[in-house]
């Protein structure tokens, strides 16, 4: 490369047309997965205090949201349930209820907009009274017994019409077991998006508020979610999940973990997604509400950053707002 003054990097940045011409990455509604909270109580919507702009939706409102996603060109919605505390117990019995909130939401949304993909979280935490993702015995999260419950939960979701099941629990061996369970019941076309590299993060705080497990959670999730200090461990986690049959891999949280996104995409060349989690959303919204940053610009910049890092798509609470802006 020629040195300055022969090379002047600002030459290409001087005009809108030349900036557009050399732009390497773009964000479109096709890159967005709308993370949406459904509730058996919401009437028809109720705000989540720690996530300004996010509402818990009733089943009917969720069906409307599916139509809205279709109209905005958003390919898929990932649903997260807020269930009545009276339905929560130690074993998360409600998790595989074929008539429960999740089953109702999937059916209503697929009826309303069959062309929108529906992704379901597989984990017990919305349904347990202790707020953990798995079964507990003497303070220890049980791995293999939890995986059995997760298989049953994933089967219920597939049977209700979910297109993708997304295990977010970080138990060992769950991808292989879920694939086997789905195939045995004729759900060979149901995809698995694995929360493959999921870290024990402070950024999930507002989500616990959103699904109503904030006050419930006892202790932390460090014995199953990954240590934020590690990268090599993510490679091994993802290698295992791909080996067990994951169709897509995900990194979570998002923005603080872009190095992991970039390394996983380069290493495995798999369909790779990042989850811009509740705390990331809340930070942008809070700063914007205070007038400290331009919220819309910060939103779009953060979403574009995922693309630059190599993500094929982003799970985000911003999806409808971002798609509206992107569609002009
Ligand atoms: C449940 C689950 C969590 C999130 C998605 N699925 C919370 C957790 O693992 O503690 C977080 C989502 C968000 O913060 O937006 N296993």
């Amino acid at each position: 490369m020629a040195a300055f003054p022969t090379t002047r990097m600002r030459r290409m940045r001087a005009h809108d047309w030349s900036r557009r011409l050399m732009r390497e990455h773009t964000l479109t509604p096709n890159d967005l997965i709308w993370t949406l909270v459904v509730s058996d109580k919401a009437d028809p919507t109720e705000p989540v205090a720690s996530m300004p702009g996010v509402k818990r939706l009733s089943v009917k409102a969720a069906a409307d949201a599916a139509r809205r996603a279709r109209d905005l060109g958003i390919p898929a919605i990932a649903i997260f349930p807020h269930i009545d505390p009276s339905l929560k117990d130690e074993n998360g019995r409600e998790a595989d209820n074929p008539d429960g909130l999740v089953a109702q939401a999937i059916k209503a949304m697929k009826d309303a907009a069959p062309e929108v993909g529906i992704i379901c979280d597989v984990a017990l935490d919305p349904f347990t009274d202790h707020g953990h993702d798995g079964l507990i015995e003497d303070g220890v999260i049980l791995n293999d017994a939890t995986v059995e419950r997760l298989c049953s939960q994933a089967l219920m979701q597939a049977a209700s019409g979910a297109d993708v099941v997304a295990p977010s629990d970080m138990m060992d061996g769950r991808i292989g077991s879920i694939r086997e369970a789905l195939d045995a019941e004729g759900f060979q076309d149901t995809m698995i998006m694995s929360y493959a590299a999921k870290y024990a993060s402070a950024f999930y705080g507002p989500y616990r508020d959103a699904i109503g497990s904030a006050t419930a959670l006892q202790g932390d999730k460090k014995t199953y979610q990954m240590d934020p200090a590690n990268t090599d461990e993510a490679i091994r986690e993802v290698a295992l999940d791909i080996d067990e049959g994951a169709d897509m891999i995900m990194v979570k949280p998002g923005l603080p973990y872009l190095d992991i996104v970039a390394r996983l995409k380069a290493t495995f060349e798999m369909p790779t997604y990042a989850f811009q989690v509740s705390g990331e959303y809340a930070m942008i919204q809070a700063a914007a509400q205070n007038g400290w940053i331009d919220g819309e610009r910060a939103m779009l910049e953060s979403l574009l950053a995922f693309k630059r890092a190599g993500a094929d798509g982003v799970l985000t609470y911003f999806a409808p707002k971002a798609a509206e802006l992107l569609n002009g």
Side-chain angles (χ1 to χ4, degrees):
M1 184 170 116
F4 175 83
T6 307
T7 295
R8 286 180 182 269
M9 295 298 282
R10 292 184 56 194
R11 226 177 258 140
M12 286 289 284
R13 290 185 211 133
H15 314 282
D16 178 63
W17 66 262
S18 56
R19 288 193 295 270
R20 282 180 6 239
L21 210 52
M22 73 169 196
R23 187 159 295 151
E24 296 172 47
H25 298 283
T26 49
L27 180 71
T28 79
N30 289 331
D31 300 313
L32 304 174
I33 296 170
W34 182 357
T35 49
L36 189 143
V37 182
V38 295
S39 166
D40 52 8
K41 232 183 15 232
D43 189 24
T45 66
E46 56 192 25
V48 178
S50 54
M51 300 177 72
V54 167
K55 294 187 172 97
R56 300 187 193 107
L57 305 183
S58 66
V59 169
K60 194 172 168 299
D64 293 339
R67 284 187 208 98
R68 186 167 169 220
R70 177 192 57 206
D71 296 345
L72 287 168
I74 296 171
I77 296 179
I79 59 178
F80 302 89
H82 175 284
I83 68 159
D84 194 282
S86 69
L87 296 174
K88 300 189 187 199
D89 64 14
E90 201 187 350
N91 300 320
R93 191 160 312 133
E94 180 68 13
D96 57 356
N97 181 355
D99 303 312
L101 171 65
V102 171
Q104 289 174 34
I106 298 168
K107 286 177 192 152
M109 293 166 87
K110 289 307 293 186
D111 272 353
E115 45 293 83
V116 174
I118 297 296
I119 303 172
C120 273
D121 216 58
V122 182
L124 300 183
D125 61 326
F127 310 100
T128 53
D129 56 13
H130 45 69
H132 278 289
D133 295 27
L135 305 173
I136 306 185
E137 202 174 270
D138 300 329
V140 175
I141 312 293
L142 302 176
N143 193 88
D144 300 10
T146 298
V147 170
E148 263 180 56
R149 293 284 297 135
L150 298 174
C151 287
S152 171
Q153 183 182 21
L155 277 176
M156 177 280 286
Q157 295 169 347
S160 304
D163 302 288
V164 183
V165 295
S168 71
D169 55 287
M170 291 297 280
M171 297 301 121
D172 287 321
R174 88 274 209 223
I175 300 297
S177 296
I178 289 173
R179 182 73 272 162
E180 212 174 284
L182 289 171
D183 288 356
E185 296 292 324
F187 297 114
Q188 65 280 346
D189 294 329
T190 304
M191 294 168 237
I192 299 179
M193 172 186 271
S194 169
Y195 283 69
K198 175 169 177 178
Y199 289 84
S201 172
F203 290 100
Y204 308 147
Y207 170 85
R208 306 225 169 102
D209 177 20
I211 66 157
S213 70
T215 46
L217 184 64
Q218 297 157 10
D220 57 50
K221 301 191 176 184
K222 289 181 188 170
T223 69
Y224 45 108
Q225 300 179 349
M226 284 176 44
D227 184 341
N230 296 348
T231 303
D232 289 343
E233 190 184 4
I235 300 282
R236 295 179 67 209
E237 277 286 0
V238 171
L240 284 165
D241 285 4
I242 294 171
D243 226 44
E244 291 175 30
D247 299 290
M248 299 172 257
I249 58 168
M250 188 214 296
V251 175
K252 177 180 175 201
L255 220 51
Y257 294 81
L258 287 188
D259 58 323
I260 308 296
V261 174
R263 186 161 172 208
L264 292 180
K265 184 64 179 179
T267 304
F268 296 107
E269 299 171 329
M270 283 283 289
T272 304
Y273 302 84
F275 196 144
Q276 182 177 48
V277 300
S278 55
E280 300 175 62
Y281 173 89
M283 287 194 300
I284 292 177
Q285 292 296 78
Q289 282 191 340
N290 278 296
W292 295 335
I293 58 171
D294 178 332
E296 286 184 356
R297 280 186 59 201
M299 168 185 76
L300 292 175
E301 184 177 329
S302 66
L303 293 170
L304 181 63
F306 290 106
K307 295 294 302 291
R308 195 189 60 241
D312 296 294
V314 188
L315 292 94
T316 176
Y317 299 92
F318 283 125
K321 196 172 166 200
E324 253 161 29
L325 281 174
L326 292 168
N327 287 330

